[in-house]
Amino acid sequence: MNIDKFNIPTKTLITVAIAASLFFSSVYTVNEGHIGIVKRFSEAKEQVNPGLHFKVPFIDSVEEIEVRTRKNEEKMASSTKEQMPVTVIVSVNWTVDKTAALELFRQYGGLKQFENRILDPRFRSATKDVIPQYDAEKLIQDRASAIQAIEASFIEEMKDFPVTVDNIQIENIQLPTKYLTSIETKQTEKNLADAEKHKLARQNLEAQRDVNTAKAKADGIKLVAIAEAESIRIKGLAEAEAITAKAKALGNNPLIVKLTEAQNWDGKLPATILGSSNMPILDMRTK
């Protein structure tokens, strides 16, 4: 576009250009998840939070330090407790302390330098100290225990630095193929033995249940018999008491005997009579 037709003085255009350059040189932004480190003549002066900021043009510069969780991964060769060669891949998630970003930058010049000089060597050292404490089988079957040991050692190593160790993972364990096959065979045999043990326990449980059922049934029959015997005993005692009471009443009142005889008489005279002397029995019936 030809600006001559606007009749704008060249001096004015230069002034506007300089002003625009100064403006854009004095404005900067810091991305979310980062801390801005403001440097003046290459000297770190202050740290600023994410957002829009202003600086001295052409004098100040800004570098960012990420304060989100970072992941470092290491692949290293080691040996188990029984001196078996093993290759492990381990990773660590860690975070820079937001309030100490400026100090970290001043001491190490940025995250890469900090990782190379401090974090990675100590992480490798903590891992290599722990792995030889485990035999191969336990390292595979109880990986969580090894992770906890590495994590505890590494946290102790990093306690004086402005970072937080979030968690550590053993991503992979590589052992000789022959040994892995033997472990799988051993585990299969153990699983079969556990299954057989479970089956035997179940059979014992079922047998015990049958015994308990039979015993309960026998106990029930015994209780019924005891109840019946007790019922008969009580009934007998009641009848005996009734007889005793009746006998006592008869003894105290002879007329009750006569009354009982009268109540039981069928209204017929005896057909024979027995005398008091030696005489034959006479038939009293009328021909």
Side-chain angles (χ1 to χ4, degrees):
M1 181 178 64
N2 188 2
I3 60 173
D4 291 338
K5 63 182 180 179
F6 294 104
N7 297 319
I8 300 176
T10 303
K11 185 176 180 181
T12 302
L13 291 177
I14 294 175
T15 303
V16 171
I18 293 174
S21 177
L22 290 174
F23 174 79
F24 287 110
S25 297
S26 64
V27 175
Y28 69 95
T29 59
V30 176
N31 294 319
E32 191 66 43
H34 295 73
I35 292 294
I37 303 299
V38 179
K39 298 188 298 181
R40 181 164 298 169
F41 299 116
S42 299
E43 180 185 358
K45 287 294 186 179
E46 62 176 338
Q47 67 178 55
V48 294
N49 293 323
L52 179 66
H53 301 278
F54 295 92
K55 63 182 178 65
V56 179
F58 310 113
I59 295 177
D60 293 345
S61 61
V62 179
E63 289 193 26
E64 292 187 354
I65 288 185
E66 186 178 21
V67 290
R68 292 177 297 199
T69 299
R70 296 172 63 87
K71 181 177 181 178
N72 287 49
E73 187 173 279
E74 293 284 344
K75 180 178 181 180
M76 63 192 74
S78 184
S79 60
T80 62
K81 190 174 183 180
E82 67 267 53
Q83 299 301 312
M84 182 172 296
V86 59
T87 299
V88 294
I89 299 176
V90 290
S91 64
V92 56
N93 291 325
W94 61 286
T95 309
V96 174
D97 183 358
K98 292 180 180 181
T99 61
L102 178 62
E103 186 62 29
L104 184 144
F105 186 87
R106 283 174 172 171
Q107 290 189 21
Y108 306 104
L111 289 182
K112 285 297 181 182
Q113 294 88 331
F114 177 77
E115 290 172 332
N116 294 334
R117 293 165 53 189
I118 302 297
L119 188 134
D120 290 342
R122 283 168 171 75
F123 184 42
R124 288 191 291 268
S125 175
T127 303
K128 288 186 175 181
D129 286 344
V130 170
I131 296 300
Q133 299 176 17
Y134 290 80
D135 56 42
E137 184 174 358
K138 186 175 182 182
L139 186 61
I140 292 176
Q141 297 179 353
D142 193 11
R143 185 179 300 192
S145 176
I147 290 173
Q148 290 176 358
I150 296 173
E151 194 169 277
S153 176
F154 187 55
I155 289 175
E156 180 65 23
E157 289 280 345
M158 300 300 294
K159 67 180 182 179
D160 295 328
F161 298 95
V163 298
T164 299
V165 178
D166 298 320
N167 60 75
I168 289 174
Q169 293 295 327
I170 297 179
E171 306 288 349
N172 191 26
I173 300 173
Q174 297 176 358
L175 289 165
T177 304
K178 184 176 180 179
Y179 183 74
L180 291 175
T181 302
S182 68
I183 289 181
E184 291 176 357
T185 302
K186 182 178 179 181
Q187 186 62 40
T188 300
E189 293 175 351
K190 182 177 182 299
N191 292 340
L192 292 174
D194 289 343
E196 189 64 27
K197 183 178 179 181
H198 176 72
K199 181 180 178 181
L200 181 61
R202 185 181 64 185
Q203 291 175 346
N204 290 337
L205 180 62
E206 291 176 352
Q208 185 62 45
R209 183 177 60 193
D210 292 340
V211 169
N212 292 340
T213 300
K215 184 177 183 300
K217 185 176 181 180
D219 290 344
I221 294 173
K222 182 179 179 181
L223 291 175
V224 170
I226 292 174
E228 290 179 351
E230 183 66 13
S231 176
I232 293 172
R233 186 184 71 82
I234 293 174
K235 185 177 180 181
L237 290 175
E239 291 177 351
E241 290 178 358
I243 292 172
T244 301
K246 186 174 182 181
K248 184 177 180 181
L250 292 174
N252 294 335
N253 192 350
L255 292 178
I256 294 179
V257 177
K258 297 297 182 180
L259 176 61
T260 302
E261 292 176 351
Q263 289 175 342
N264 294 328
W265 183 48
D266 58 2
K268 298 178 181 181
L269 293 173
T272 59
I273 185 171
L274 182 63
S276 59
S277 60
N278 294 328
M279 59 179 297
I281 297 175
L282 299 178
D283 189 352
M284 300 296 291
R285 292 175 293 183
T286 304
K287 299 293 187 178

